[in-house]
Every structure is written in C-alpha cells, then in structure tokens.
Amino acid sequence: MSGATRVLVLNSGSSSVKYQLVDMADGRRLAAGLVERIGEHSGRLVHTPVRGERRERNTAFPDHAAALKAVSEELAADGTGLDSRELAAVGHRVVHGGTRFTEPTLITDEVLDEVRALVPLAPLHNPANVTGIEVARTLRPDLPQVAVFDTAFHATLPEYAARYALERTTADRYAVRRYGFHGTSHQYVSRATAALLCRRPAEVNVIVLHLGNGASASAVAGGVCVETSMGLTPLEGLVMGTRTGDLDPAVILHLHRVGGLSVDEIDDLLNRRSGVLGLCGDNDMREVVRRRAGGDPDAVLAFEVYIHRLRKYLGAYCAVLGRVDAVAFTAGVGENSAAVRAAATTGLEGLGISVDAALNELPTSGPRLISPAYSRVAVAVVPTDEELEIARQTFALVRRSA
Ligand code: AMP
C-alpha cells in the first residue's frame, strides 16, 4: 500500500454534496465544503480550507458529476484533488445498509448493486448515495471507495429490540424491522464519552442523545448498541425538527380514511411539516427557546412536547441498560442548548442523573462533563464528528485490505 493517508468523505444528498478532507496521519481536517442546489438553475459551492480563505462558487451544477468535478478542483487548488496520490480512499456515507451491511464495506460492482437493491427501504437517501459513489468511481476508478452505513452500528440490536410486534410473515416479506440511523454519530460519541471518563468503551454503559434537526437516542452497553429510537425509517422515536417521532400508527389510517389524505400527503405531513415546526411554526431550537422565554404559548408547548418525549426515552434507556455510567448530549441542539439539557435532566436524581447548572451554561466547546462530581451518572456534552468517524473506518478498512 502507498503511504497515502488522506481520506475524502462524501455525503451525497439528492441535490447536495457535503464533503471533508481528513488526514488520517493525525486525524486533522484539511478542508470541508458543501455543494447545494445541484440540478437547479443556480447552485452554490462553499469550500472552506483549514488554512486559507473560504471560497464560494455561484453557478449551475447540472448534475452530481459536475458538482464533484468542481469539488475536486477546489481541493486541488489546496493540493489534494481527487487525482492526488496523497488520497488513500474515498469514504461514502450510505444511509441504509439493511441487514446485509453491518460493517464498512469496500465498494465493488456487486456491493453497489446490493446498495441499489436497498432503495425501497430508503427511497429518499440511498439513490443519491449511489449516485455519489458512481460519480466518484468514474473520476478515480483506481482508488478504494468505502461505504459506511448509518444503520451499521445498530446491527447489534437484540432481536427483541429490532422486531416490531407485527405479524412475522408480513414483516419478513417486506423487511420491516427496526434498523436505526445516525449510527456513525452514536458510535463516535459513545466512544468519545468513554474516553472522556478515561475508560475503555467496553467498560461503560452510555445513553447517547443525538439531538439535531433529526434526533435519536441510543443505549450502548460496553460499546455495543442494544437499543435505539429510530426504526424502519428515521421517523420513529424522539420529536424532531420537522418529524413527529412516535405516533399511534392508527393516526395514519385515520388521516387517510377520515381526512382523505393520500399516502404521499401523509408522508410529507409526518416527515416535513410536523415535529417542533408543526407545533409552533419554527424548527430551529434557538428560535423556539427564544420565543418560549418571551412566554409564547405555542413555543412553550412545542418545547414541553419535545422535552417530555426525550425524558421518556432517557428513563426507558436507564431501564434497558440497568446500570448507566454516562448520558451524552450531542448534535446541534444537544451540543448548544443548555435549556434543552437542563429541562431533559431536571429532577432525575432518583436515576442518579444530576447536572451542575453553572457547568451546563458554560459556552465551551469540546467534550466536557456538566454533572457535579457526586453524580452517579456522568452527564456529558460530546460534539459529534460523523465525517471523522467515516474517515477513520474507511482508512482502517483500506489499511486492513492492503
Ligand atoms: P444538526 O442537525 O446537528 O446540524 O442540528 C441542527 C439544529 O441545531 C437546528 O435545529 C438548530 O436550531 C440547532 N441549534 C444550533 N445551535 C443551537 C443553539 N445554540 N441552541 C439551540 N439549538 C441550536
């Protein structure tokens, strides 16, 4: 194997590509960027090298190939384009690996066919992930490309946690089971939390609360995920920016039968027009917290519904794990909202969970404890880094296969 240590991480959406260039010699991020509005009249590429000025291109990117070519040009201007010999691999985020992919996987034609076959399970995400892989392989056919699946970390869920109590033949015929998502983040944060406690992952039980625009919780026992809040799709579980989270499934039947809503309308309602947005008109938690502080009743209720669900999951996962060593808050809301962290943990001393109000309010970045020394359960804020985790897993696989 060459001495190349750089990994390009690609997260391809239907009209966007997010990317990061990471040097695995020291885990340093060299550049990050985003191409938006691919396929539209006017697109935008924002490239941020760690050393140097942020650059922006405002032009049309007719397809993912054009977008990735522009990304490669920007990276090349800083020294490491897609054609660079310093590049060891490309790591692709792939949302759904089904039950087939439970590990990072070197991409071959066969693997790509299998990822395509999983499209019915993730119709919004997997097709774009496949496109990103196809384009990157065309641009650099000789370079190892690795798929890192959002579902993989949850493949260890015990069967009783992965199963819905749905008639088995039907469930199996349509691959209906709980897969879980945000796995790369849960994996990274559970390990980083163990490191913060100066323990090995195998020694600690951690509840990870990934609270971003999408939100999910997981229970990780000794480094192994045993329960998570998202299911067949990312709709189940916590209240999110625009998604309902848990809902009586009969609500769907009711909306269809009584309200006359079509399947697509209900899909849009539950995934894009509900959650915090649907309750108060804003999905940005900063705005919700600000309006709530001013006494806005819709924002007060939205916050209460959000927090109530979060506390139910926190309590449930304490029961799932039996012994909890740490609770870790991560992602946009979890890392930045002291108000959410305080409300989610207030009055849980009976569960061994306490938060120090002053530590919680400190505007510091980086992994940190916010619980007092006497707290039986450590409460932590641990910034997630899915791209670094994808780069790590990609590089480790490429090293092993060399
Ligand atoms: P993510 O999906 O992890 O990028 O998180 C996005 C979410 O984080 C958005 O809903 C933002 O409103 C939220 N967020 C970012 N900063 C803050 C903050 N200071 N307080 C509350 N929410 C925040």
Side-chain angles (χ1 to χ4, degrees), residues 125-352:
H125 296 103
N126 272 32
N129 301 155
V130 167
T131 305
I133 294 170
E134 286 170 342
V135 171
R137 288 181 93 209
T138 310
L139 291 175
R140 254 319 277 279
D142 60 309
L143 196 64
Q145 314 240 349
V146 173
V148 177
F149 298 90
D150 234 25
T151 45
F153 185 58
H154 306 303
T156 49
L157 249 59
E159 188 62 13
Y160 54 76
R163 275 266 165 202
Y164 292 109
L166 179 67
E167 188 273 317
R168 281 186 71 158
T169 318
T170 309
D172 290 344
R173 181 179 307 146
Y174 299 107
V176 175
R177 57 187 288 118
R178 305 187 61 251
Y179 295 96
F181 297 87
H182 291 147
T184 335
S185 175
H186 287 286
Q187 186 168 12
Y188 176 87
V189 171
S190 56
R191 287 190 188 159
T193 305
L196 184 66
L197 302 180
C198 300
R199 311 269 294 275
R200 287 185 296 116
E203 296 170 346
V204 291
N205 291 348
V206 185
I207 297 174
V208 178
L209 303 173
H210 176 112
L211 310 176
N213 198 27
S216 62
S218 70
V220 183
V224 174
C225 187
V226 295
E227 179 57 289
T228 194
S229 60
M230 286 176 167
L232 173 78
T233 77
L235 185 56
E236 190 179 342
L238 302 176
V239 175
M240 311 184 209
T242 65
R243 297 185 202 130
T244 56
D246 292 337
L247 192 73
D248 178 348
V251 171
I252 296 165
L253 310 179
H254 179 79
L255 292 173
H256 179 64
R257 288 189 187 129
V258 179
L261 272 70
S262 71
V263 170
D264 286 343
E265 284 168 338
I266 296 173
D267 187 349
D268 183 55
L269 178 70
L270 305 189
N271 277 296
R272 283 174 285 280
R273 294 198 286 121
S274 294
V276 179
L277 175 74
L279 289 169
C280 75
D282 267 308
N283 67 325
D284 190 324
M285 190 53 82
R286 279 169 288 212
E287 202 47 34
V288 178
V289 168
R290 193 191 60 74
R291 283 171 54 192
R292 169 178 174 260
D296 180 323
D298 292 346
V300 168
L301 180 64
F303 190 83
E304 285 176 350
V305 174
Y306 181 94
I307 294 295
H308 178 66
R309 184 82 51 84
L310 189 54
R311 291 168 64 90
K312 280 210 293 191
Y313 270 88
L314 192 49
Y317 285 11
C318 287
V320 166
L321 288 171
R323 187 201 83 223
V324 181
D325 298 297
V327 174
F329 286 89
T330 194
V333 177
E335 289 167 32
N336 296 301
S337 181
V340 165
R341 294 192 299 259
T345 51
T346 300
L348 298 187
E349 290 78 9
L351 296 174

